[in-house]
């Protein structure tokens, strides 16, 4: 088994004390198995991207595996570094939602995930890009990035809990009034439309929870992603969609249009730069915005059939 270079985000899944406990679990499991490993020093989440890039380059040189421990944001940062450097990624999901880990059959229990890594083998996994930037689960513009922005403000005040995410979403929907005028190009065809948000998803678990049809889900991960577009609606209707999403029935809503694609280009009228979100990370991008299935997959340490955990 190749050497593991372990990157553990001290801010993921409950703070430094919890992170230290996870580290002790991983150290014990790897030591008992005789697995050669090293924890990459990471003092602050602000250093994550830089440290991940250096660790991935080293993993490539040494034919090692970069093992990321944390939530979807941490795993995405490590995946970007591993994909760019050309090394294999191992993942120990420890976040709140863990959509990426759930789809790949990775356990959310640190000890179980660590033991599964010892028997895992590298396999290709589809990833998406937004203007060339890699993402694992989803990307969006419009309302959804604002939901994430507001959620972080609520998290800072009340802590990272699922009920906090719901409360912040209700607050955002109550005050949101913007509609985007966009032009999209997919499969060589152009369309103009107005929408409060455009949501792109590369994750079957999340799409299934939203209630999309099985025939749509089957195409995700096989050279396609899914785009969801909301028709212009008012606040009351938006609350209704939130409830539909919570009960896994968003795909049935007549106010939602969904379609699959491998490349989608979006231009927003009267804007040079647009706020976008990719796996929870928010930033500004210059138009046009291109969402695309990456032609080069991510090499991920996938659990054996006996270690695979079915998504809840």
């Amino acid at each position: 088994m190749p050497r593991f270079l372990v990157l553990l985000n001290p801010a993921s899944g409950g703070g430094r004390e919890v992170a230290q406990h996870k580290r002790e679990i991983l150290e014990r499991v790897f030591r008992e198995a005789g697995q050669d490993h090293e924890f990459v020093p990471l003092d602050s989440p602000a250093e994550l991207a830089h440290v991940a890039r250096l660790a991935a380059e080293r993993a490539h040189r040494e034919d090692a595996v970069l093992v990321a421990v944390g939530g979807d944001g941490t795993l995405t940062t490590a995946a970007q570094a591993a994909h760019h450097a050309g090394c294999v990624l191992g993942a120990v999901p420890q976040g709140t939602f863990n959509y990426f880990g759930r789809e790949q059959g990775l356990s959310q229990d640190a000890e179980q995930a660590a033991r599964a890594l010892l028997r895992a083998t590298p396999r290709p996994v589809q990833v998406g890009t937004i203007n060339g930037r890699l993402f694992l689960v989803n990307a969006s513009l419009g309302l959804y990035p604002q939901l994430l922005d507001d959620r972080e403000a609520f998290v800072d005040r009340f802590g990272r809990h699922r009920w906090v995410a719901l409360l912040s979403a209700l607050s955002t929907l109550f005050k949101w009034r913007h509609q985007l005028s966009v032009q999209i190009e997919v499969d060589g065809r152009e369309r103009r439309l107005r929408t409060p948000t455009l949501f792109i998803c590369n994750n079957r678990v999340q799409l299934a929870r939203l209630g999309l049809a099985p025939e749509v889900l089957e195409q995700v991960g096989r050279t396609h992603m899914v785009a969801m577009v909301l028709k212009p609606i008012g606040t009351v209707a938006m609350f209704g969609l939130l409830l539909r999403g919570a009960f896994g029935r968003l795909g049935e809503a007549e106010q939602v249009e969904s379609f699959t694609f491998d490349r989608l280009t979006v231009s927003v009228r009267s804007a040079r730069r647009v706020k976008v979100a990719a796996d929870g990370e928010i930033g500004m991008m210059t138009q046009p915005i291109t969402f695309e299935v990456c032609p080069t997959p991510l090499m991920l340490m996938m659990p054996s059939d006996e270690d695979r955990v079915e998504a809840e």
Side-chain angles (χ1 to χ4, degrees):
M1 174 67 70
R3 192 166 196 247
F4 289 169
L5 298 181
V6 186
L7 186 64
L8 191 153
N9 187 346
S12 288
R16 292 187 178 274
E17 290 186 5
V18 174
Q20 178 61 31
H21 178 61
K22 303 298 183 186
R23 172 171 176 153
E24 293 170 357
I25 291 174
L26 268 61
E27 283 187 322
R28 173 174 53 81
V29 170
F30 295 156
R31 185 176 60 252
E32 290 176 352
Q35 170 63 47
D36 188 10
H37 68 283
E38 175 186 336
F39 279 82
V40 179
L42 177 62
D43 297 326
S44 166
E47 302 173 354
L48 179 60
H50 175 67
V51 173
R53 178 177 61 81
L54 295 179
E57 291 171 354
R58 180 182 165 194
H60 177 68
R61 291 194 305 269
E62 300 177 0
D63 197 24
V65 175
L66 177 63
V67 176
V69 186
D72 281 334
T74 300
L75 299 187
T76 297
T77 300
Q80 290 169 349
H83 187 267
H84 185 265
C87 73
V88 177
L89 179 73
V92 179
Q94 294 294 293
T96 304
F97 297 103
N98 292 322
Y99 285 124
F100 179 71
R102 285 190 172 105
E103 175 161 2
Q104 308 307 331
L106 308 178
S107 174
Q108 297 177 71
D109 178 81
E111 181 166 349
Q112 188 175 348
R115 295 191 184 282
L117 267 177
L118 299 172
R119 296 182 287 268
T121 54
R123 298 179 190 172
V125 172
Q126 175 177 292
V127 293
T129 63
I130 173 171
N131 280 12
R133 178 181 175 85
L134 182 146
F135 66 90
L136 300 176
V137 180
N138 60 54
S140 58
L141 51 85
L143 173 60
Y144 194 72
Q146 189 62 48
L147 284 169
L148 298 178
D149 241 353
D150 293 345
R151 186 180 73 187
E152 288 308 305
F154 272 70
V155 165
D156 290 341
R157 184 175 179 183
F158 301 110
R160 195 170 293 277
H161 307 286
R162 291 179 185 271
W163 68 266
V164 172
L166 178 60
L167 182 63
S168 68
L170 292 172
S171 173
T172 304
L173 293 182
F174 184 75
K175 63 186 180 184
W176 183 264
R177 296 292 184 274
H178 303 294
Q179 301 290 335
L180 302 176
S181 296
V182 303
Q183 176 176 304
I184 65 173
E185 180 181 343
V186 59
D187 296 332
R189 298 189 299 271
E190 293 186 355
R191 291 177 54 194
R192 294 184 182 273
L193 50 85
R194 285 176 56 81
T195 178
T197 193
L198 174 65
F199 183 77
I200 308 298
C201 194
N202 185 50
N203 186 275
R204 283 174 294 217
V205 173
Q206 185 173 35
L207 290 169
R209 290 193 169 191
L210 293 174
L212 265 71
E215 57 268 23
V216 175
L217 299 182
E218 289 178 359
Q219 299 184 58
V220 179
R222 299 176 180 177
T223 72
H224 283 81
M225 295 188 289
V226 170
M228 301 181 70
V229 181
L230 269 60
K231 298 177 182 178
I233 55 177
T235 301
V236 174
M238 193 74 79
F239 279 117
L241 288 182
L242 179 65
L243 290 175
R244 280 181 172 271
F247 287 99
R249 297 177 56 195
L250 189 62
E252 303 172 4
E254 62 181 16
Q255 301 97 330
V256 178
E257 177 187 354
S258 62
F259 56 89
T260 59
F261 69 93
D262 57 7
R263 179 184 173 90
L264 170 67
T265 301
V266 180
S267 298
V268 180
R269 184 179 178 184
S270 301
R272 187 177 69 86
R273 290 166 59 83
V274 180
K275 179 185 286 188
V276 299
D279 289 344
E281 299 297 321
I282 303 167
M284 301 295 293
M285 285 190 174
T286 302
Q287 297 199 73
I289 309 297
T290 299
F291 303 92
E292 187 173 17
V293 174
C294 185
T296 305
L298 172 73
M299 295 305 296
L300 179 72
M301 295 292 286
M302 294 286 282
S304 64
D305 291 342
E306 61 183 278
D307 290 325
R308 182 177 176 84
V309 176
E310 293 301 321
E312 300 174 359

